[in-house]
């Protein structure tokens, strides 16, 4: 039995899968969450419900029970991560989160590494959109707090900028890419600087939400290598510890563009649970808890289907073959477009 207790902030599916990976490694977990019904409570050794992460008493209790802290989502108030980090090491480091959860800082960081992103501009007003008309058709995205397409508006022309928009938040405007493919690279970096890079995963989104992932990705060797080496550079320059993901666009000219960085385990990497001996989750727990970078081996090609909203009902009553792995996140409420589970299918 290991004597490390890992604290996890957040209790959704990513938190649940991290708890399961920790259990495999004999590492105890304590989850703190502002969601009383969060499914990770079914997998963690201890669950702390804090109505707000600002609740100092609850956070104190959490800190007293854990040796090291990680998180399942990047939109946690930065002050909270920083205050926890004064008492227990938070990995990945909070300042990484500060960069990556802010699209402007994120894209500036990536561009400064000499890596291409979509063309973009920082937007504070309708005037700013007008000045950047060359980016239309484009997508206006809130600068912070976006996920699964929330906070995104397609602008085909200046007419789509509504008169009553008051731009209370900061935005970025991105040129709409004529996509040939989307891929992602999941990568784990350890405290001693060692890195394991999973092979690129091909992704299909519907309504801006990931619907389907597969390995191998249908890409050239050149893109395969470049996607992995860019991800490695990003992880190194961030001095990242744990598992992260770089999402990419590939345009019609086969140009590789970084879409965004997720400073955490990633939905597209769920197929690593069944397709590799060590999943993205296990590697994350290994890295943040200071365990060694054990040899990762691919077991099989695979596909993953995200199960959204009501689709879960059909899956709950289905039977599966020995190549199919159904994950039901056990979320109490079924909501339209909510990620309810996933199915991984191992392929030849
Ligand atoms: P989130 O933070 O919600 O994941 P993303 O910026 O990754 O937001 O956008 C979600 C999806 O929307 C992308 O994976 C892609 O399919 C589509 N999308 C976003 N931005 C663009 C763009 N500039 N051009 C084309 N498609 C885009
Ligand atoms: Mg995304």
């Amino acid at each position: 039995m290991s004597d490390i207790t890992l604290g996890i902030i957040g209790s959704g599916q990513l938190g649940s899968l991290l708890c399961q990976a920790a259990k495999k490694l004999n590492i105890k977990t304590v989850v703190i969450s502002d969601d009383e019904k969060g499914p990770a409570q079914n997998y963690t050794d201890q669950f702390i419900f804090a109505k707000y992460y600002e609740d100092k008493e609850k956070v104190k209790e959490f800190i007293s029970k854990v040796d090291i802290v990680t998180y399942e989502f990047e939109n946690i108030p930065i002050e909270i991560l920083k205050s926890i980090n004064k008492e227990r090491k938070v990995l990945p480091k909070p300042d990484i989160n500060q960069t990556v959860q802010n699209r402007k800082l994120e894209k500036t960081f990536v561009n400064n590494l000499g890596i291409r992103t979509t063309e973009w501009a920082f937007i504070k007003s309708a005037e700013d959109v007008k000045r950047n008309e060359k980016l239309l058709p484009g997508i206006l995205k809130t600068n912070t707090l976006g996920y699964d397409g929330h906070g995104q508006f397609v602008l085909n022309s200046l007419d789509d900028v509504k008169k009553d928009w008051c731009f209370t938040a900061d935005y970025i405007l991105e040129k709409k890419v004529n996509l040939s493919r989307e891929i992602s690279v999941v990568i784990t970096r350890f405290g001693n600087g060692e890195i394991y890079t999973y092979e690129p995963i091909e992704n299909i989104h519907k309504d801006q939400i990931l619907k389907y992932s597969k390995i191998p990705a249908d890409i050239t060797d050149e893109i395969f290598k470049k996607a992995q080496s860019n991800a490695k550079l990003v992880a190194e320059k961030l001095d990242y510890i744990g598992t992260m993901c770089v999402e990419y666009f590939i345009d019609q000219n086969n140009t590789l563009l970084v879409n965004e960085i997720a400073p955490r385990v990633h939905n597209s990497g769920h197929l690593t649970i069944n397709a590799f001996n060590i999943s993205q989750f296990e590697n994350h727990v290994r890295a943040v808890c200071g365990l060694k970078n054990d040899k990762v081996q691919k077991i099989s090609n695979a596909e993953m289907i995200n199960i959204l909203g009501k689709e879960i009902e059909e899956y709950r009553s289905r039977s599966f073959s020995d190549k199919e792995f159904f994950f039901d996140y056990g979320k109490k409420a079924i909501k339209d477009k909510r990620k309810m589970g996933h199915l991984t299918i191992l392929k030849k």
Side-chain angles (χ1 to χ4, degrees), residues 158-184:
L158 288 177
D159 297 339
D160 291 336
V161 181
K162 302 284 173 294
K163 291 224 163 36
D164 58 352
W165 284 3
C166 45
F167 290 88
T168 44
D170 291 341
Y171 293 84
I172 62 144
L173 178 61
E174 271 180 38
K175 199 170 177 63
K176 192 161 183 221
V177 178
N178 200 353
L179 294 171
S180 138
R181 285 200 162 63
E182 290 190 71
I183 60 169
S184 56

Side-chain angles (χ1 to χ4, degrees), residues 148 205 247 259-260 266:
D148 286 346
H205 291 77
E247 298 177 19
N259 169 24
E260 60 176 355
H266 193 260

Side-chain angles (χ1 to χ4, degrees), residues 46-292:
Q46 263 196 67
F47 182 70
I48 300 172
F49 167 61
K51 203 162 180 186
Y52 310 101
Y53 288 116
E54 287 79 1
D55 184 333
K56 290 210 166 65
E57 284 308 306
K58 296 281 178 163
V59 171
K60 209 165 138 190
E61 181 192 348
F62 174 67
I63 290 172
S64 74
K65 291 187 162 145
V66 302
D67 300 304
I68 197 133
V69 173
T70 191
Y71 42 91
E72 68 154 9
F73 66 115
E74 58 267 46
N75 292 331
I76 305 162
I78 190 73
E79 301 72 32
I80 293 178
L81 287 184
K82 285 191 167 164
S83 76
I84 296 176
N85 195 38
K86 285 189 188 136
E87 312 218 23
R88 294 288 186 278
K89 201 176 219 181
V90 175
L91 291 173
K93 286 186 297 191
D95 58 345
I96 293 180
N97 227 37
Q98 205 161 7
T99 307
V100 169
Q101 70 175 205
N102 179 313
R103 294 189 195 271
K104 179 186 178 199
L105 297 179
E106 177 187 44
K107 285 181 195 299
T108 305
F109 165 77
V110 171
N111 293 151
N112 285 343
L113 296 177
I115 299 173
R116 285 185 67 177
T117 57
T118 52
E119 287 174 63
W120 64 279
F122 185 58
I123 301 288
K124 284 179 94 69
S125 65
E127 283 303 309
D128 286 344
V129 179
K130 254 185 225 153
R131 268 193 286 276
N132 288 284
E133 194 178 353
K134 66 172 194 312
L135 296 177
L136 303 184
I139 303 178
L140 193 66
K141 302 181 180 182
T142 50
N143 193 39
T144 56
L145 299 174
Y147 71 98
D148 286 346
H150 292 270
Q152 296 196 11
F153 310 89
V154 176
L155 299 182
N156 286 313
S157 74
L158 288 177
D159 297 339
D160 291 336
V161 181
K162 302 284 173 294
K163 291 224 163 36
D164 58 352
W165 284 3
C166 45
F167 290 88
T168 44
D170 291 341
Y171 293 84
I172 62 144
L173 178 61
E174 271 180 38
K175 199 170 177 63
K176 192 161 183 221
V177 178
N178 200 353
L179 294 171
S180 138
R181 285 200 162 63
E182 290 190 71
I183 60 169
S184 56
V185 171
V186 173
I187 181 167
T188 308
R189 186 166 176 273
F190 292 76
N192 61 4
E194 285 180 18
I195 283 182
Y196 179 76
T197 315
Y198 291 90
E199 70 179 76
I201 301 161
E202 184 168 341
N203 302 314
I204 295 176
H205 291 77
K206 198 168 169 268
D207 300 330
Q208 278 128 335
I209 301 175
L210 182 68
K211 188 58 199 155
Y212 173 82
S213 296
K214 72 160 184 173
I215 48 169
D218 189 6
I219 51 176
T220 62
D221 280 353
E222 197 190 339
I223 295 273
F224 186 109
K225 288 196 189 106
K226 194 168 176 190
Q228 283 195 326
S229 66
N230 282 352
K232 219 170 143 183
L233 184 63
V234 168
E236 278 167 352
K237 293 290 178 190
L238 288 172
D239 192 19
Y240 194 92
I241 296 175
T243 295
M244 54 165 260
C245 177
V246 181
E247 298 177 19
Y248 293 97
F249 295 144
I250 302 171
D251 73 9
Q252 298 292 336
N253 302 321
N254 218 21
T255 307
L256 185 68
L257 306 165
V258 166
N259 169 24
E260 60 176 355
I261 301 166
R264 53 171 170 77
V265 286
H266 193 260
N267 192 171
S268 65
H270 287 7
L271 51 72
T272 61
I273 298 172
N274 309 101
F276 291 81
N277 66 328
I278 296 181
S279 72
Q280 62 163 350
F281 300 97
E282 181 175 338
N283 249 346
H284 182 74
V285 175
R286 283 178 172 279
V288 301
C289 293
L291 272 56
K292 80 172 202 296

